[in-house]
Amino acid sequence: MKKLLIFSLVGFMAQLMDGALGMGFGLSSSTILLAYGMAPAVASASIHLSQIATTAASGFSHYKFGNVDKRLVLTLALPGGISAFTGAALLSWVPGDLIRPYISIFLLGLGVYVVIRFLLMSRTKPLKSEKKPFRRRFLFPLGFLGGFLDAVGGGGWGPVNTPVLLSSRGILPRKVIGTVDTSEFIVTLSATAGFLLFLGWEELSWLLVLAFVIGGVMAAPLAAWLVKKLPPVVLGVAAGGFIILTNSRTLLTYAPWNEQTLYIIYSLLITGYAAAVVFSIRTYIKLHRHPHTETRLKKAQF
């Protein structure tokens, strides 16, 4: 019972993070499971099975709060579902950690760009309309890459798709997060089918799956509501900063530094993250407290 409560809390926090920032469920939960000594394939399979319920609840909640771009959902999800099934099949003999550092470098760069762009955005008029940011010829390979990494690494759909779409111009941050979370349902179904076919039911941790489902389903509506209420600039900085923290941690695990040095680096990263979020909030409040000053600001191009 104690273990059920602990993993339910982990599932709640992971889904709250995932639903509010567009990423984090797979990465955070897989990190904990691997630390417990669970095999990568079993950890990823258990996470994906639990995510069938959590992504369904999250997608429905985001849809009800108007956080979903319907055009982008299937365009991302279809290639993502195909590659997720393929990734589940390959995970038994392809180590996911082998390619993770290279992807983390790419995502880290995108995270820095996202934070800088939204910090600059906080000094301009808020986004009032949207443009279609990408064509299918770009979204198809993006979805394919995200689905494959999601299955192989235990989490990757959000970390790949969210920063790329956030770095685009013309789509609201809350719709980026809602769309990525909603499309993840199809990717999760495909990955789970692959794991069940190649691993079998007996390998799964059913207590873990149940705990994640309970916690994740409870957190999904709250996360979707937070995305609806938070200002786009604050949400963008928060998401971008989380991208930097997550991928910095991945890369630092390969660095030959002692624990004290790593502690200093982590402290600086967290402090910088908090300062960026506070700055975006203060700037947003100042701008909207004096709406007449907007006429003197340059209109944001998104």
Side-chain angles (χ1 to χ4, degrees):
M1 186 64 183
K2 181 179 180 181
K3 185 178 290 186
L4 178 63
L5 291 175
I6 292 175
F7 281 119
S8 294
L9 180 60
V10 172
F12 182 89
M13 297 305 298
Q15 182 56 47
L16 187 65
M17 181 189 304
D18 191 275
L21 298 180
M23 68 194 80
F25 190 98
L27 289 175
S28 57
S29 54
S30 62
T31 299
I32 294 174
L33 296 185
L34 293 177
Y36 267 82
M38 186 174 290
V42 177
S44 184
S46 301
I47 291 169
H48 280 88
L49 184 59
S50 65
Q51 280 189 292
I52 293 179
T54 59
T55 55
S58 180
F60 178 76
S61 300
H62 278 298
Y63 177 79
K64 295 298 290 184
F65 281 105
N67 299 331
V68 178
D69 187 322
K70 299 177 183 178
R71 185 188 73 92
L72 293 180
V73 169
L74 289 179
T75 307
L76 282 173
L78 291 180
I82 295 172
S83 63
F85 183 87
T86 305
L90 294 176
L91 183 59
S92 58
W93 65 84
V94 176
D97 289 338
L98 183 65
I99 57 176
R100 183 171 294 178
Y102 302 101
I103 300 300
S104 292
I105 293 174
F106 170 70
L107 295 177
L108 180 63
L110 280 178
V112 172
Y113 174 72
V114 168
V115 169
I116 293 176
R117 189 171 74 84
F118 278 94
L119 284 177
L120 294 177
M121 171 183 159
S122 65
R123 295 178 173 273
T124 64
K125 292 175 65 175
L127 179 64
K128 299 296 184 180
S129 61
E130 298 178 271
K131 299 177 182 179
K132 301 302 181 184
F134 291 122
R135 296 181 179 179
R136 290 184 177 180
R137 63 186 180 186
F138 179 84
L139 292 173
F140 272 33
L142 179 65
F144 191 89
L145 176 63
F148 181 81
L149 294 178
D150 189 81
V152 172
W157 181 253
V160 169
N161 288 284
T162 300
V164 173
L165 294 180
L166 279 175
S167 65
S168 70
R169 298 177 179 272
I171 181 170
L172 292 169
R174 65 180 179 85
K175 285 200 172 183
V176 168
I177 293 171
T179 300
V180 171
D181 274 9
T182 303
S183 59
E184 190 175 9
F185 174 71
I186 298 177
V187 175
T188 300
L189 282 177
S190 298
T192 303
F195 283 122
L196 293 179
L197 179 62
F198 294 102
L199 284 179
W201 294 87
E202 64 277 2
E203 295 290 339
L204 298 177
S205 174
W206 292 103
L207 176 65
L208 172 66
V209 171
L210 176 62
F212 277 179
V213 168
I214 293 174
V217 170
M218 291 176 61
L222 176 60
W225 178 81
L226 286 174
V227 170
K228 181 75 173 181
K229 295 299 182 180
L230 287 176
V233 293
V234 178
L235 198 60
V237 171
F242 182 75
I243 296 166
I244 295 173
L245 288 178
T246 302
N247 291 283
S248 295
R249 181 185 179 279
T250 301
L251 293 174
L252 287 173
T253 58
Y254 296 91
W257 294 326
N258 55 44
E259 292 185 4
Q260 184 177 4
T261 302
L262 291 176
Y263 177 79
I264 294 175
I265 295 176
Y266 287 140
S267 299
L268 292 175
L269 287 172
I270 294 173
T271 302
Y273 181 26
V277 173
V278 171
F279 178 81
S280 66
I281 293 174
R282 293 185 61 182
T283 305
Y284 179 85
I285 293 175
K286 182 178 180 181
L287 178 64
H288 286 262
R289 186 177 296 171
H290 305 285
H292 62 277
T293 61
E294 292 186 3
T295 58
R296 298 196 300 267
L297 297 175
K298 183 179 178 180
K299 185 177 181 181
Q301 300 296 324
F302 296 100

